[in-house]
C-alpha cells in the first residue's frame, strides 16, 4: 500500500512562531508529535495550558519547554499560528487574546465551526476556504466529519453525492486520555471479577457497544450525529444530505465508518477504486479475497484515511458502499490542523 499523505512541500524560508494551547491534553500531545515528525518551518514554540498544567515541562526536538498558564495578556504578541485544543469554552473566552496581535488561531473545538465568518477546513477538500478568516480563526472539523469528507471528496469529483448514510464506530480515545484509562481499567476489573468503573461513558464500554456519542437532541440524533450533517455541508459547499448513527466501541484508537452514498449517476466499483487510489490523503486497501481491508488495530498512529470494502449497493443503482478507518487523534485533529497551517505557509498567507 502506498501511504501517500496530503502535504505541502517547498515552504518559503520564513520560520513560524508556533503556540500550542492545551498542550497537556491528548490532542495537545499529538500536536507535539506531528510537529516533530513533519517539515513544518518553525523556529520558536510556546506552550500554554490551564493553571493545573502551568509549570509542566515537555521535551521537543531535544529542548525543554515549560507550559505557561493561559491568561488574558500579550503572550501571543509574537505568535504566527496557534493550535488550540483546550475545549470550546476556553476557545471562546481567549479567541480575541490569541488573535489580537495577528496570530492565526486554528481551533480544534466545536466553538466556531458553524459560524459564518469562520472557515471550516479539511485541506484535501476545501483548503482555499482558509484564506477568508475575518476573525483570524480557522475551525478544525469534528474528527468523524474529517475522515468522511476526505473519502467523499474523491467520489464528488466524478459525480455529485446526493445523500449519505453513515454509521461510525468510534474509539474510546475520542473521549480523551481518561477514557482510554477507564476502558483498560474496566477490562482488568472484569477479568478480576470486580465491578467495572463507569465514569466517562453512560455504560460499561468493555465488551460492549454504546450507540451514543455526545448528548441527544430533540430530533433523536446526538450532537455528534448532527455535526456530521452540518459540517459536511459547510465543508463541501453542497446540498448533500447526511444521516449518521454514531457508536462508541471498545477500541483504543482510530475511528471506523461504514458509509453508503447515493450519487447523481451510477458510479462503478472500478471507478470508485480509481478515484480513491488517486485521491490525496487516502490509502486504498480493498482486497477482500485476501481479507485485506482497513482495521483500527493497524491504522492507529497513521496519517491517511484508509478505504476498503468498496461495493455497489444492491438496492439502488446509484448507490455505493465503502468502509473507512482513520486515526481520529492524528488526522481527525492535530494533523488536519497542521496541514491547514502548511497550506497557508506555502501560499505565503501567514505573516
Amino acid at each position: 500500500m502506498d501511504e501517500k499523505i496530503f502535504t505541502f512541500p517547498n515552504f518559503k524560508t520564513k520560520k513560524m512562531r508556533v503556540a500550542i494551547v492545551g498542550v497537556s491534553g491528548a490532542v495537545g500531545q499529538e500536536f507535539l508529535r506531528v510537529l516533530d515528525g513533519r517539515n513544518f518551518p518553525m523556529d520558536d514554540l510556546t506552550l500554554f495550558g490551564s493553571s493545573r498544567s502551568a509549570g509542566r515541562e515537555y521535551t521537543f526536538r531535544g529542548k525543554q519547554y515549560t507550559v505557561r498558564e493561559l491568561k488574558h495578556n500579550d503572550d501571543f504578541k509574537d505568535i504566527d499560528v496557534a493550535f488550540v485544543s483546550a475545549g470550546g469554552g476556553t476557545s471562546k473566552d481567549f479567541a480575541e487574546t490569541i488573535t489580537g496581535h495577528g496570530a492565526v488561531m486554528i481551533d480544534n473545538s466545536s466553538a466556531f465551526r458553524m459560524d459564518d465568518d469562520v472557515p471550516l477546513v479539511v485541506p484535501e477538500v476545501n483548503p482555499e476556504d482558509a484564506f477568508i478568516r475575518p476573525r483570524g480563526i480557522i475551525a478544525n472539523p469534528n474528527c468523524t466529519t474529517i475522515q468522511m469528507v476526505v473519502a467523499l471528496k474523491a467520489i464528488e469529483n466524478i459525480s455529485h453525492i446526493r445523500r449519505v448514510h453513515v454509521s461510525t464506530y468510534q474509539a474510546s480515545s475520542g473521549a480523551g486520555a481518561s477514557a482510554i484509562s477507564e476502558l483498560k481499567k474496566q477490562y482488568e476489573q472484569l477479568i478480576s471479577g470486580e465491578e467495572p468503573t463507569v465514569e466517562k461513558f453512560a455504560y460499561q464500554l468493555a465488551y460492549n457497544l454504546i450507540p451514543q456519542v455526545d448528548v441527544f437532541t430533540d430530533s433523536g440524533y446526538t450532537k455528534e450525529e448532527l455535526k456530521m450533517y452540518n459540517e459536511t455541508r459547510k465543508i463541501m459547499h453542497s446540498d448533500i444530505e447526511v444521516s449518521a448513527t454514531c457508536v462508541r466501541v471498545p477500541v483504543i484508537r482510530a475511528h471506523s465508518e461504514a458509509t453508503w452514498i447515493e450519487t447523481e449517476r451510477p458510479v462503478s466499483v472500478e471507478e470508485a477504486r480509481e478515484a480513491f487510489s488517486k485521491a490525496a490523503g487516502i490509502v486504498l486497501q480493498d482486497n477482500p479475497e485476501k481479507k485485506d481491508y482497513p482495521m483500527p488495530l493497524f491504522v492507529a498512529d497513521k496519517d491517511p484515511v484508509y478505504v476498503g470494502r468498496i461495493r455497489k449497493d444492491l438496492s439502488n443503482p446509484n448507490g455505493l458502499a465503502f468502509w473507512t478507518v482513520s486515526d481520529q487523534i492524528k488526522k481527525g485533529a492535530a494533523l488536519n490542523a497542521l496541514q491547514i497551517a502548511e497550506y497557508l505557509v506555502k501560499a505565503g498567507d501567514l505573516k
Side-chain angles (χ1 to χ4, degrees):
M1 293 177 295
D2 176 18
E3 290 197 8
K4 63 184 185 302
I5 58 174
F6 196 63
T7 187
F8 301 97
N10 305 318
F11 290 117
K12 299 182 184 299
T13 55
K14 176 176 171 54
K15 300 294 185 180
M16 295 291 106
R17 295 160 296 184
V18 174
I20 299 174
V21 179
V23 68
S24 297
V27 176
Q29 289 294 291
E30 193 68 22
F31 274 126
L32 287 176
R33 286 188 284 269
V34 297
L35 278 168
D36 189 37
R38 292 172 73 89
N39 187 32
F40 188 71
M42 57 179 290
D43 61 4
D44 188 55
L45 176 65
T46 306
L47 307 180
F48 293 95
S50 65
S51 57
R52 298 187 307 275
S53 299
R56 291 185 188 177
E57 292 190 344
Y58 293 101
T59 302
F60 180 79
R61 294 180 180 173
K63 183 178 176 180
Q64 291 290 114
Y65 292 86
T66 302
V67 179
R68 299 186 191 179
E69 183 178 354
L70 184 64
K71 294 182 177 181
H72 292 291
N73 53 27
D74 290 331
D75 280 349
F76 289 86
K77 182 172 59 176
D78 297 320
I79 300 297
D80 295 303
V81 58
F83 299 107
V84 182
S85 187
T90 298
S91 292
K92 288 181 178 179
D93 189 16
F94 284 89
E96 292 186 9
T97 296
I98 293 169
T99 61
H101 296 281
V104 174
M105 175 180 174
I106 303 180
D107 184 58
N108 195 58
S109 78
S110 61
F112 308 107
R113 288 175 184 160
M114 298 312 299
D115 289 7
D116 291 338
D117 55 356
V118 174
L120 185 66
V121 177
V122 177
E124 292 90 341
V125 182
N126 63 330
E128 64 284 347
D129 285 2
F131 294 140
I132 304 172
R133 47 178 195 276
R135 294 162 61 184
I137 304 169
I138 300 170
N140 216 31
N142 191 43
C143 54
T144 50
T145 305
I146 290 173
Q147 174 176 333
M148 183 174 71
V149 297
V150 169
L152 294 183
K153 176 63 173 176
I155 304 300
E156 180 71 17
N157 286 340
I158 58 176
S159 180
H160 175 55
I161 300 170
R162 290 172 172 167
R163 58 180 51 86
V164 176
H165 290 198
V166 58
S167 292
T168 72
Y169 305 84
Q170 298 182 217
S172 61
S173 53
S178 61
I180 301 174
S181 300
E182 180 168 302
L183 177 61
K184 292 178 178 178
K185 185 177 182 180
Q186 285 178 355
Y187 279 118
E188 293 171 357
Q189 290 170 324
L190 290 165
I191 290 170
S192 300
E194 303 173 21
E195 282 293 315
T197 299
V198 178
E199 294 175 350
K200 286 297 296 184
F201 304 111
Y203 296 93
Q204 167 192 320
L205 185 57
Y207 303 114
N208 192 26
L209 304 177
I210 303 174
Q212 177 188 354
V213 180
D214 212 322
V215 298
F216 284 100
T217 68
D218 291 341
S219 67
Y221 285 86
T222 65
K223 285 187 175 181
E224 184 85 354
E225 292 158 355
L226 292 180
K227 287 174 188 176
M228 297 188 75
Y229 176 87
N230 292 312
E231 292 180 16
T232 299
R233 291 164 70 90
K234 181 175 179 178
I235 294 163
M236 298 186 72
H237 301 284
S238 172
D239 60 355
I240 187 171
E241 298 286 352
V242 179
S243 182
T245 299
C246 294
V247 182
R248 188 73 68 185
V249 298
V251 168
I252 297 297
R253 185 162 169 154
H255 288 353
S256 304
E257 297 179 2
T259 307
W260 173 93
I261 63 174
E262 180 185 317
T263 51
E264 282 191 339
R265 67 165 180 83
V267 174
S268 69
V269 170
E270 292 72 26
E271 277 186 288
R273 284 194 179 123
E274 183 178 7
F276 286 132
S277 68
K278 292 179 178 178
I282 288 177
V283 168
L284 180 64
Q285 187 180 356
D286 188 36
N287 195 344
E289 293 81 6
K290 295 185 178 180
K291 300 179 182 177
D292 186 24
Y293 33 70
M295 291 181 284
L297 180 64
F298 304 110
V299 171
D301 203 36
K302 300 291 183 64
D303 290 351
V305 174
Y306 289 75
V307 180
R309 294 294 321 276
I310 304 166
R311 58 206 185 278
K312 288 293 293 183
D313 174 28
L314 297 178
S315 67
N316 187 328
N318 287 23
L320 197 69
F322 53 88
W323 171 258
T324 64
V325 183
S326 184
D327 187 320
Q328 90 288 350
I329 302 177
K330 200 166 196 181
K331 176 54 184 169
L335 177 61
N336 194 79
L338 180 56
Q339 288 172 319
I340 294 169
E342 289 175 346
Y343 179 79
L344 295 177
V345 170
K346 186 187 178 187
D349 195 51
L350 280 177
K351 64 177 184 177

